[in-house]
C-alpha cells in the first residue's frame, strides 16, 4: 500500500485509485492510500493489513474501471478487522473520470465534501 507511514499514524484512511489522487489528499493533510497500479491492481496480492483497525472510506473514480476497483477492494477489505468501511457515492453532476485529484484541483473543500456527500456503509464480515 502507498503511504504506509501516514496510515500508521491515522485512525481514518481514504482509499483512492492511483498515487495522483492519494498525493492530492495527502498534500491537504488527509490520510490516503492506493494499491500499486490503480484500477489494475492485483487486489488479492496486495497486503491490506495496515488498514486493520482503521476507519476506511473508498473514494472511487467516476468511471467503470473505478467502480470495478472499488468493488474488488470492498470485497477484500470486508475480510479484515476494520473499524468501519464506507463507499463514497460520487455526485451525479460530476463528469466521467472525475476523481479525488480533480476535486482538489477544483478547489473543493474536501473535509466539507466528505462530511456532506452520501456514503454507503459496507457491512464487515
Amino acid at each position: 500500500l502507498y503511504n504506509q507511514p501516514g496510515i500508521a499514524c491515522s485512525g481514518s484512511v481514504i482509499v483512492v485509485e492511483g498515487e495522483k489522487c492519494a498525493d492530492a489528499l495527502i498534500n491537504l493533510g488527509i490520510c490516503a492510500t492506493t494499491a500499486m497500479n490503480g484500477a489494475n491492481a492485483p487486489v488479492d496480492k496486495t497486503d491490506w493489513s495496515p488498514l486493520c483497525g482503521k476507519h476506511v472510506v473508498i473514494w472511487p473514480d467516476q468511471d467503470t474501471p473505478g467502480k470495478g476497483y472499488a468493488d474488488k477492494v470492498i470485497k477484500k477489505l470486508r475480510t479484515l478487522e476494520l473499524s468501519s468501511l464506507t463507499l463514497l457515492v460520487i455526485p451525479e453532476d460530476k463528469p466521467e473520470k472525475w476523481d479525488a485529484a480533480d476535486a482538489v484541483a477544483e478547489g473543493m473543500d474536501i473535509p466539507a465534501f466528505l462530511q456532506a456527500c452520501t456514503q454507503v456503509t459496507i457491512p464487515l464480515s
Side-chain angles (χ1 to χ4, degrees):
L1 285 178
Y2 188 71
N3 187 32
Q4 289 197 34
I7 293 169
C9 298
S10 182
S12 299
V13 181
I14 298 177
V15 176
V16 293
E17 183 186 329
E19 289 89 353
K20 177 183 80 166
C21 292
D23 284 339
L25 295 175
I26 291 166
N27 289 336
L28 294 177
I30 298 168
C31 185
T33 191
T34 188
M36 192 179 300
N37 299 320
N40 298 316
V43 171
D44 44 339
K45 293 186 180 183
T46 299
D47 179 7
W48 297 93
S49 64
L51 298 178
C52 287
K54 310 290 182 183
H55 296 281
V56 178
V57 175
I58 299 174
W59 183 333
D61 286 9
Q62 175 72 331
D63 55 21
T64 301
K67 288 175 178 57
Y69 173 70
D71 289 343
K72 289 188 291 186
V73 171
I74 288 168
K75 183 177 179 183
K76 182 63 178 180
L77 293 184
R78 288 188 71 215
T79 68
L80 299 180
E81 293 184 22
L82 305 178
S83 290
S84 66
L85 178 60
T86 58
L87 173 66
L88 186 146
V89 177
I90 303 298
E92 292 179 15
D93 64 337
K94 297 304 177 190
E96 181 81 3
K97 299 187 182 287
W98 187 84
D99 60 20
D102 294 323
V104 172
E106 292 169 4
M108 182 179 280
D109 180 338
I110 301 301
F113 172 71
L114 291 170
Q115 287 294 320
C117 72
T118 301
Q119 295 186 26
V120 176
T121 300
I122 308 298
L124 300 172
S125 50

